[in-house]
């Protein structure tokens, strides 16, 4: 029994060859979602980065295009963002045209200096020209990176990190090429690891016409699943900058959701992450490629007693309905007639008298990954103790997080689960997207089963559907 690294996930983007990490330059433009990404095309290890490129119209099927920005031994092209400069404020396009403009970090391995550079494209991101006046922002720092640009009124704003300081710096510009420092945020929240890949996103509050500013910050160490993690701050953004109005929380409670940023110019906030962890990313089984993106996730905020909580809904394939249960009592483990390595389970289960309940996915001989709800403790666990090839023995194999409110009177009510399994990953959403947990798993391809279980009492499956 062993994992086969040649098999690609079905709906998660992987590069044709080589190493992948952060998503870069996410933008919706001319009917396409552009996914640029940190890419070291000729190696399964990180190295001098380039920007790989893929496009999609549904966020599930991807077409990989030629490398967009080619790095070299003397100039590594690190993370950044793309905007559509509709009014040609940059002047980078000929009159009457509107360029896509990329802002990225140039890493100079000779000096360690990280400076911000620009490039533009006039052909829907297919080819790029770097700006002759690069860098556009250089403060002589060796830990200053990951510019994320967004529109602000008629002008532009950009957030990037002073990674070692654990701060997010806000700059403003009228032309994308000259940048003025405006304000600084942090250190605050989780600060065990260096800060990376910030994004400031306007997110709607469910059931209202309100929005709030959400600052996403990736933290390289000390995450909830061990190693890299992502935090968010809900707050306010005005001319003085960003201020948090509530304590930091984790975006995802698993180990493999990092460096997520949002798509520019979409109709709603949608983020996508690198589905790995700097602590072991280079140990993940691989042959032709190493690394994949998460599914894209739609963001909203939900009002709770403790404040506004981030809600994430995956953009998942509808798929074919292969199993459906309604109104069924559950006292032990019920195997479901599923044989697949990619599937999606949506379930609503009333815990009843059960001590524990949940799902086992990718079930095979001696292998399974467990999603376990403990109603009394009020926890959800994603357990990859028996998930297949172990690449991170020094990290906890069980990730545990607080169970979101179930919505019933007196704290009762059904647990709502959505689980997306795709060859080498499990993404779990609990409570209508209120809690997310993402882990890579490396099971044998024959571990293709699925069970639903209850222990120590009777749970009630109100509804359970499996789509492949
Ligand atoms: C985050 C990161 C960024 C950097 C890039 C280099 O994963 O470390 O801070 O720009 O990866 O590949």
């Amino acid at each position: 029994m062993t994992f086969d690294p040649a098999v690609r996930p079905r709906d998660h983007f992987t590069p044709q060859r080589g190493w992948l990490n952060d998503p870069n330059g996410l933008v919706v433009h001319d009917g396409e979602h552009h996914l640029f990404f940190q890419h070291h095309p000729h190696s399964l290890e990180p190295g001098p980065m380039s920007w790989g490129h893929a496009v999609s119209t549904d966020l599930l099927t991807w077409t990989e295009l030629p490398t967009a920005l080619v790095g070299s031994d003397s100039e590594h092209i690190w993370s950044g963002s793309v905007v559509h400069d509709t009014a040609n404020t940059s002047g980078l396009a000929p009159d009457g045209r509107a360029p896509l403009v990329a802002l990225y970090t140039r890493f100079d391995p000779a000096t360690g200096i990280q400076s911000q550079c620009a490039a533009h494209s006039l052909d829907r991101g297919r080819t790029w020209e770097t700006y002759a006046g690069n860098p556009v922002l250089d403060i002589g720092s060796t830990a200053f990176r990951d510019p994320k640009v967004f529109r602000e009124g008629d002008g532009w704003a950009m957030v990037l990190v002073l990674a070692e300081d654990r701060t997010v710096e806000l700059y403003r510009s009228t032309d994308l090429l000259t940048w003025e420092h405006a304000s600084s945020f942090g250190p605050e929240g989780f600060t065990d690891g260096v800060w990376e890949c910030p994004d400031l996103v306007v997110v709607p509050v469910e059931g209202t016409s309100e929005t709030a500013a959400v600052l996403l910050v990736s933290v390289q160490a000390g995450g909830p699943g061990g190693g890299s993690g992502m935090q968010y701050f809900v707050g306010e953004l005005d001319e003085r900058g960003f201020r948090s109005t509530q304590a930091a929380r984790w975006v995802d409670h698993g180990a493999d959701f990092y460096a997520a940023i949002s798509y520019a110019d979409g109709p709603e906030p949608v983020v996508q992450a690198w589905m790995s962890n700097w602590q072991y990313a280079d140990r993940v089984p691989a042959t032709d490629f190493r690394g994949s993106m998460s599914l894209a996730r739609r963001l909203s905020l939900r009002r709770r007693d403790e404040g506004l909580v981030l809600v994430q809904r995956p953009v998942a394939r509808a798929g074919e309905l292969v199993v459906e249960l309604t109104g069924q009592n559950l006292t032990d483990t019920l195997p479901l007639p599923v044989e697949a390595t990619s599937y999606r389970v949506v379930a609503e289960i009333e815990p009843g008298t059960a001590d524990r309940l949940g799902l086992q996915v990718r079930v095979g001989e001696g292998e399974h990954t467990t999603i376990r709800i403990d109603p009394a403790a009020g926890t959800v666990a994603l357990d990859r103790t028996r998930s297949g090839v172990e690449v991170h023995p020094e990290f906890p194999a069980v990730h545990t997080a607080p169970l979101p409110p179930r919505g019933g009177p007196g704290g009762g009510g059904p647990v709502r689960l959505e689980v997306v399994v795709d060859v080498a990953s499990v993404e779990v959403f609990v409570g209508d997207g209120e809690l997310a947990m993402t882990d890579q798993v490396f099971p044998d391809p024959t571990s293709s089963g699925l069970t639903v279980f209850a222990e120590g009492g009777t749970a009630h499956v109100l509804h359970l559907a499996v789509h492949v």
Side-chain angles (χ1 to χ4, degrees), residues 19 21-22 38 49 77-79 105 145-146 161 195-197 220 258-259 274 278:
W19 166 273
N21 57 290
D22 313 354
Q38 288 290 282
M49 293 297 176
I77 314 263
W78 280 10
S79 288
T105 299
R145 59 180 179 267
D146 308 339
V161 288
W195 282 17
E196 301 184 311
C197 298
Q220 237 197 51
Y258 196 65
W274 174 37
W278 275 120

Side-chain angles (χ1 to χ4, degrees), residues 34 53 71 91 169 189 218 221 226 261 274 365 417 430 467:
H34 289 265
H53 189 196
E169 303 299 318
S218 291
I261 55 168
W274 174 37
E365 252 181 65
L417 272 176
V430 189
H467 302 260

Side-chain angles (χ1 to χ4, degrees), residues 17-20 39-47 288-290:
R17 58 201 164 92
W19 166 273
L20 162 151
H39 196 200
H40 190 210
H42 304 291
S43 165
L44 294 173
E45 313 275 328
D288 300 337
F289 68 93
R290 186 179 263 146

Side-chain angles (χ1 to χ4, degrees), residues 306-363:
E306 65 270 33
L308 291 170
V309 178
L310 194 65
V311 172
Q312 302 169 66
R313 291 199 170 82
V315 177
R317 162 195 300 251
E320 184 197 344
L321 179 67
V322 291
V323 177
E324 190 164 26
L325 301 181
T326 38
Q328 183 153 335
N329 284 336
L330 194 65
T331 51
D332 55 14
T333 297
L334 175 67
L336 299 169
V338 173
E339 239 181 83
T341 53
S342 299
Y343 51 78
R344 182 166 69 100
V345 188
V346 183
E348 228 181 304
I349 310 177
E350 182 64 64
T353 56
D355 291 335
R356 279 199 267 276
L357 61 140
L359 298 169
Q360 288 195 330
V361 298
R362 297 301 303 275
V363 181

